[in-house]
Amino acid sequence: MPSTPVRPEPVEGRPSPTDGRTPFDGLRANGLYFARGEHSAEHGFTPPCRRSAEHGFTLVEVLIAMLIFGMIAAAGVALLSFSIRAQGAAVARLDDVDSVERLSSILSADFAQAVERPNRDERGVMQPAFVGTGTSVRLVRGGWSNLDGAARPSLQKVEYRLEEEAIDRVAYPMLDGAEPYPPGAMLSDVRAMTLRYRFRGAWSDRWDGTQGAALPQAVELTVTRRNGTMLRQLFLVGTGYEQGPPEAEHGR
């Protein structure tokens, strides 16, 4: 006859394998075990706070974001300001270099084309062809272009002088007795200008045509800028930009 299965007797304190309980039920009953996500307020546990998108940001997060944005904006403004200042300084420097080159070119042309032509000033007083002091010089130059065919000579009287920290070039429409044109500033920010005149190996601070010739052989110009920069240039007088023959150039 078939045998009847023997059911084991439950042991006290241990769950029976057939009563549907697990080994953790006893721990849970004694408050020693909690399932995942299950906490007891009696033991000081609180459910985690989950923030949804509807709650937004906290005040601290907003302040930190504003601080970072302010730092980035300040850096951008500083970079832009530096770029603008650098560009302005570069443009000013280039303009100054251009002014120096223009002054040198015009002085070279005027001195090189100087001629021995006495003239009269606005009062009708006769003046030498070339008159120079330590801070100004007046001469008569040739090669004045007459594109419009005006009734005037090809000679022009010009003057250079220092006025209000600027080297001005003054031109005259006529050689004798005419009022000058308005002066044109050739170089600004000039603190001092010194002119010297060379003749027969000697330098002089003045020239009035009584040194034995109507024109000096060379002129030295020394300019001291307001920032302390000093410029020194030498110009030949009366050369007229005449070049030697090709044979002489090849023979050098």
Side-chain angles (χ1 to χ4, degrees):
M1 57 183 299
S3 60
T4 303
V6 179
R7 178 177 297 178
E9 295 293 335
V11 181
E12 184 179 358
R14 178 179 298 177
S16 174
T18 58
D19 59 1
R21 295 188 301 169
T22 64
F24 300 101
D25 292 339
L27 297 177
R28 184 183 293 108
N30 296 327
L32 300 178
Y33 172 77
F34 303 95
R36 180 177 298 179
E38 180 182 350
H39 302 281
S40 174
E42 298 177 356
H43 295 81
F45 294 100
T46 57
C49 179
R50 297 182 179 274
R51 186 183 62 196
S52 63
E54 298 178 355
H55 293 165
F57 298 96
T58 63
L59 178 60
V60 176
E61 292 173 339
V62 172
L63 293 177
I64 294 176
M66 293 179 62
L67 176 62
I68 296 175
F69 176 78
M71 294 174 62
I72 296 176
V77 172
L79 181 60
L80 179 61
S81 177
F82 174 78
S83 301
I84 294 175
R85 289 197 303 268
Q87 182 180 6
V91 171
R93 180 58 179 169
L94 291 176
D95 291 342
D96 187 71
V97 172
D98 184 66
S99 298
V100 173
E101 294 294 334
R102 183 172 61 251
L103 174 64
S104 177
S105 299
I106 296 178
L107 279 173
S108 297
D110 287 345
F111 285 136
Q113 299 181 87
V115 296
E116 301 180 14
R117 175 30 169 105
N119 55 88
R120 297 181 183 274
D121 60 12
E122 295 85 344
R123 297 172 297 178
V125 179
M126 185 64 68
Q127 299 291 331
F130 195 105
V131 178
T133 64
T135 57
S136 65
V137 59
R138 186 177 67 248
L139 66 146
V140 177
R141 55 155 292 178
W144 188 16
S145 300
N146 192 0
L147 301 179
D148 54 356
R152 60 170 179 79
S154 61
L155 302 179
Q156 185 183 30
K157 183 168 61 175
V158 295
E159 181 181 0
Y160 291 90
R161 62 194 182 193
L162 180 62
E163 292 287 343
E164 298 180 356
E165 295 189 347
I167 298 178
D168 293 340
R169 183 180 188 269
V170 182
Y172 292 77
M174 296 294 175
L175 295 177
D176 299 313
E179 293 289 336
Y181 290 123
M186 304 299 297
L187 185 64
S188 58
D189 297 334
V190 178
R191 188 171 61 189
M193 179 181 73
T194 304
L195 290 165
R196 293 199 307 166
Y197 312 94
R198 183 179 179 86
F199 183 69
R200 294 179 180 176
W203 288 99
S204 175
D205 295 334
R206 300 183 62 86
W207 186 270
D208 54 8
T210 61
Q211 290 82 356
L215 304 177
Q217 295 174 332
V219 176
E220 179 193 62
L221 171 65
T222 303
V223 176
T224 303
R225 308 297 301 278
R226 191 165 56 184
N227 58 4
T229 304
M230 181 175 293
L231 306 174
R232 179 176 177 269
Q233 294 179 319
L234 297 175
F235 305 95
L236 294 178
V237 179
T239 59
Y241 292 127
E242 294 181 358
Q243 299 181 356
E247 295 79 11
E249 293 183 358
H250 292 299
R252 291 180 182 176

